[in-house]
């Protein structure tokens, strides 16, 4: 038995080293062979898309278009379909730059998200000073004309963009459009549906990622109301512009899931996360996992290709560096799309430890359970004794937040002691991981 304990101890040490190595290598690892090697192909495995914002004046840059053509299967015009671009003079429509983006995308077999039909910002000068019925009619005419022009070519329209106020009110943002009457949003959706019945119609906003924020709740109530009254809305876009002051919330998955439960698709529409290295990569991982965990999260769009293409380039918020090289965040996203883990989870295997204080001995075997963006399940199966004590140790910032089929007590915040509770020799638990996907260590002794 002494020999067994020693050999198990060696296995355990080797396991620890392998896991540590896996953790260290996680963000630079290549996708496993057989896995998809581009973002679009990887997303398509679960029926989703992976898109990017595109600027018409960059389509002549071969590095830019090379990455665009290779990696993405959905395209959003970054500025070229906005009101000031498409109707620079009232009643005179201009589609040149938008068409370049749409045609380039469609020629490459990509789909297009339309952005945006009605918005308080980037209005043409003639519209900015309008009010009342004249503005309402001008807005509805704009929606009708642009959606009709692109009928059949748009997967989803951001019909209305950013109509809710920041802060604690949970209400509408003041704007010239809002002052035409609270029903301006539903009027825009009805006009868009009439103009292009085949396009999904989305409401799109930022700072709506945290479920507990008033703005999120305000948008939720509007979508709930629209669904109950038959206003034609199909999707909600979450812009997802994150940085250290506005990090990815731990309840992001809850937000996406709750909106989807209203009967709409959810889409991550303008994703960028300021930062670098493994910290940035882990946040991208969490966002991607949150989408994958929601059946009606139909796709993710990043707001630009290279860091230098970004509207906030100094924050290096994208998946490719200024030279077009893949960043750690790219690999993290690709790995999540391929296998749900972002490469930050050790490969599936089991780890066991034993000890033999009373001569009987027992073995505890850990196996992986379900994973979510913020937590994962684990299971331990004991053999060799029915009278066991298993110690489960998690590493910071992990916390065990639920247990089943065991009687549990805590030696410290990170160390749980599990005993039989009459449910057999297998028990489970949920770990809130806080970005740390490492497995717990388990050890068994006979009581
Ligand atoms: O093209 C002109 C150029 O000729 C001129 O020299 C230069 C001088 O400032 O301006 C250039 O236009 C700029 C345009 O981007 C193209 O680069 C505008 O000033 C600038 O305001 C505009 O910014 C855009 C911004 O929306 C406007 O609100 C960003 O590119 C675009 O990424 C950003 O996208 C928005 C989404 O539509 C909605 N959600 C938030 C997101 C980020 O702000």
């Amino acid at each position: 038995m002494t020999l067994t304990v020693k050999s198990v101890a060696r296995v355990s040490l080797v396991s620890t080293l392998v896991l540590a190595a896996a953790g260290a290598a996680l963000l630079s690892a290549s996708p496993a062979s057989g896995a998809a090697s581009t973002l679009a192909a990887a997303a398509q495995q679960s029926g989703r898309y992976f898109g990017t914002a595109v600027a018409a004046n960059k389509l002549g840059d071969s590095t830019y278009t090379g990455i665009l053509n290779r990696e993405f299967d959905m395209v959003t015009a970054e500025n070229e379909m906005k009101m000031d671009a498409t109707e620079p003079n009232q009643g005179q429509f201009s589609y040149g730059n938008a068409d370049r983006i749409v045609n380039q995308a469609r020629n490459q077999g990509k789909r297009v998200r339309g952005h945006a039909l009605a918005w308080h910002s980037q209005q043409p000068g003639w519209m900015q000073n309008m009010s009342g019925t004249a503005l309402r009619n001008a807005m509805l005419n704009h929606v009708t004309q642009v959606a009709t022009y692109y009928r059949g070519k748009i997967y989803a329209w951001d019909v209305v963009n950013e109509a809710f106020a920041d802060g604690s009110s949970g209400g509408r943002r003041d704007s010239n459009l809002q002052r035409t009457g609270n029903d301006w949003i539903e009027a825009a959706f009805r006009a868009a549906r009439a103009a292009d019945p085949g396009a999904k119609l989305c409401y799109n906003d930022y700072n709506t990622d945290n479920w507990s924020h008033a703005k999120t709740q305000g948008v939720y109530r509007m979508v709930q109301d629209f669904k109950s009254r038959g206003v034609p809305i199909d999707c909600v876009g979450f812009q997802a512009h994150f940085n250290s002051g506005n990090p990815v919330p731990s309840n992001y998955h809850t937000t996406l899931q709750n909106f989807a439960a209203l009967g709409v698709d959810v889409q991550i529409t303008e994703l960028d996360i300021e930062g670098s290295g493994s910290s940035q990569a882990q946040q991208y991982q969490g966002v991607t996992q949150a989408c994958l965990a929601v059946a009606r999260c139909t796709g993710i769009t990043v707001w630009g290709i290279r860091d230098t293409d970004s509207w906030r380039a100094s924050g290096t918020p994208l998946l490719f560096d200024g030279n077009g090289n893949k960043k750690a965040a790219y690999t993290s996203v690709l790995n999540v799309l391929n296998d749900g883990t972002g490469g930050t989870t050790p490969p599936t295997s089991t780890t066991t430890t034993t000890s033999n204080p009373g001569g009987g001995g027992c073995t505890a075997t850990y196996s992986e359970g379900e994973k979510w963006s913020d937590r994962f399940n684990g299971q331990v199966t004991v053999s060799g004794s029915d009278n066991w004590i298993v110690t489960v140790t998690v590493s910071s910032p992990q916390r065990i937040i639920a247990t089943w089929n065991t009687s549990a007590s805590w030696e410290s915040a990170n160390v749980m002691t599990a005993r039989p509770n009459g449910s057999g020799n297998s028990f489970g638990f949920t770990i809130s991981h806080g970005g740390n996907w490492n497995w717990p260590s388990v050890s068994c002794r006979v009581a």
Side-chain angles (χ1 to χ4, degrees), residues 348-409:
T348 301
S349 63
T350 57
T351 179
T352 62
T353 57
T354 68
S355 64
N356 181 30
C362 58
T363 301
T365 303
Y366 176 82
S367 54
E368 288 187 312
E370 283 185 280
K371 304 184 193 77
W372 297 272
S373 59
D374 59 336
R375 64 199 192 282
F376 61 87
N377 284 351
Q379 176 159 307
V380 170
T381 302
V382 181
S383 61
S385 173
D386 294 333
N387 196 19
W388 41 265
I389 300 174
V390 171
T391 302
V392 180
T393 305
V394 301
S395 49
S396 184
Q398 295 176 334
R399 290 285 179 272
I400 296 176
I401 57 173
T403 65
W404 52 93
N405 295 340
T406 186
S407 170
S409 59

Side-chain angles (χ1 to χ4, degrees), residues 78-79 82 115 119 121-122 161-162 239 241 270 303 311:
E78 186 174 0
N79 288 296
K82 293 173 181 176
H115 174 80
W119 190 17
S121 182
Q122 281 185 282
N161 196 38
E162 302 177 1
Q239 294 187 8
H241 295 294
E270 303 181 16
W303 205 240
W311 65 294

Side-chain angles (χ1 to χ4, degrees), residues 28 112 120 122 141 171 176 181 201 206 226 247 250 256 274 280 297 308 329 338 347 356 367 394 418 447:
S28 58
V112 178
H120 70 275
Q122 281 185 282
N141 183 56
N176 59 350
L201 305 182
Y206 67 91
F226 280 11
S250 60
L256 298 180
E274 292 187 332
Q280 182 182 50
C297 183
T308 44
N338 271 322
N356 181 30
S367 54
V394 301

Side-chain angles (χ1 to χ4, degrees), residues 189-213:
F189 273 82
R190 290 196 165 99
R193 177 68 97 224
D196 186 355
K200 288 181 183 289
L201 305 182
C202 301
Y203 176 77
N204 191 54
D205 214 329
Y206 67 91
N207 280 354
T208 49
D209 312 289
N210 191 318
W211 178 242
S212 65
H213 283 181

